[in-house]
Amino acid sequence: MVAPVKEYPVVWLQGSTCTGCSISVLNSTSPTIKNLLVDEVVPGKHLSLRYHATIMAGAGEVAWKALQSEIGKGGYLLVVEGAIPAAAGGVYGHLGEKSILAVVEEAARAAAAVIALGTCASFGGIPAAAPNPSGCIGMEELLDRQGLKVPLVNVPGCPPHPDWFVGTVAALLLGDLQLPPLDDLKRPLAFYGSLIHENCPRRAYFDEGKFAKQPGEPGCLYYVGCKGPVTYSDCPKRLWNGGTNWCIGTGAPCQGCTQPEFPDLVAPFYQKTTDADLPAIA
Ligand code: FSX
Ligand code: SF4
């Protein structure tokens, strides 16, 4: 007899976002988004996406009721994309009949676990850039402010790599929603465990003091603004767009998009990061 497949409901909410995180996940190549949504993510375990404003067919009152019904049932995996506008009681962003702040808080209260997808949901990101008039915050800060103890994983990146999301979901499902090993910023160590600079194919140029004077030139991109020495992710090994290339591979300096300092403290983007920020590099 075939063992029954266990279904994990997923509620996906969007705050202040460009929706790039959804676009990135929709571009997942292995597995494809169809595999992710229809097949078993890990043997015997299947995601059931109950609410996602961008890709669901329902709209208006029907969608709003579906969301309310899922929140009422609870026990789902909550994916939050985008920062949460929290100034003035949440007046700067609305979802259905309520503020994003109120809906995300209600949804987090009833969730089994939360994935903050993207740098905005993790740390505030671009919507929280100075002067941040809408008071945008990331999920960890929101949960702290409300005293909510729901398990949280941050999957930052602007946008995050689809593998980082899919791999995190697979790890959560394998462990029956137990959190995988995380760093002190709640990022899965499997994807954010080492500095870009440690694995960069241009590292020999850095060590030899051969620096590009313009983006696109050969050489280390440190003096044209590369934030690889202060940025944790596996981009140099994983590459993007199904293994085609990555920022530094095209001659563009890393912008530090997986870090809580993004974007204010890694700006100006095309200027050298201050040496004071450099961790000890062996
Ligand atoms: Fe932020 Fe994601 Fe950057 Fe955009 O939702 S991490 S601005 S890619 O879309 O939130
Ligand atoms: Fe690579 Fe940037 Fe480090 Fe240079 S500074 S070696 S381009 S990660």
Side-chain angles (χ1 to χ4, degrees), residues 12 18 32 40 48 50 57 65-66 87 90 105 125 168 181 230 247 257 260 279:
W12 186 307
C18 74
T32 64
E40 293 166 27
S48 172
R50 304 286 171 84
K65 281 189 175 151
E105 188 197 325
T168 300
V230 291
C247 301
C257 80

Side-chain angles (χ1 to χ4, degrees), residues 204-227:
Y205 288 130
F206 179 92
D207 293 341
E208 291 291 318
K210 291 178 181 159
F211 295 101
K213 293 190 178 61
Q214 296 289 332
E217 287 182 3
C220 167
L221 298 160
Y222 181 64
Y223 282 95
V224 288
C226 185
K227 309 303 183 302

Side-chain angles (χ1 to χ4, degrees), residues 34-224:
K34 179 242 160 201
N35 295 143
L36 191 63
L37 295 179
V38 176
D39 301 336
E40 293 166 27
V41 178
V42 297
K45 298 181 179 184
H46 164 69
L47 293 180
S48 172
L49 184 59
R50 304 286 171 84
Y51 184 93
H52 187 307
T54 311
I55 61 174
M56 67 190 181
E61 203 180 334
V62 176
W64 177 249
K65 281 189 175 151
L67 176 61
Q68 296 302 305
S69 146
E70 284 308 320
I71 293 176
K73 283 185 258 176
Y76 43 78
L77 179 60
L78 176 65
V79 179
V80 178
E81 168 186 18
I84 311 305
V91 74
Y92 292 104
H94 281 78
L95 195 60
E97 296 162 357
K98 297 181 183 173
S99 68
I100 291 170
L101 179 68
V103 177
V104 171
E105 188 197 325
E106 275 171 36
R109 208 173 276 283
V114 178
I115 296 180
L117 180 63
T119 298
C120 306
S122 299
F123 311 123
I126 290 174
N132 193 7
S134 58
C136 272
I137 55 174
M139 280 308 289
E140 187 169 11
E141 188 164 347
L142 180 127
L143 298 180
D144 280 352
R145 285 188 192 179
Q146 305 299 337
L148 297 177
K149 297 280 177 244
V150 57
L152 170 71
V153 187
N154 287 327
V155 181
C158 191
H161 196 294
D163 293 0
W164 302 341
F165 175 73
V166 175
T168 300
V169 168
L172 283 168
L173 262 51
L174 275 171
D176 248 333
L177 302 187
Q178 290 297 306
L179 298 183
L182 306 176
D183 71 4
D184 55 2
L185 294 169
K186 295 190 161 52
R187 301 178 293 194
L189 281 169
F191 307 114
Y192 303 88
S194 52
L195 284 169
I196 295 217
H197 191 66
E198 286 174 47
N199 296 302
C200 180
R202 296 190 186 220
R203 176 59 186 269
Y205 288 130
F206 179 92
D207 293 341
E208 291 291 318
K210 291 178 181 159
F211 295 101
K213 293 190 178 61
Q214 296 289 332
E217 287 182 3
C220 167
L221 298 160
Y222 181 64
Y223 282 95
V224 288

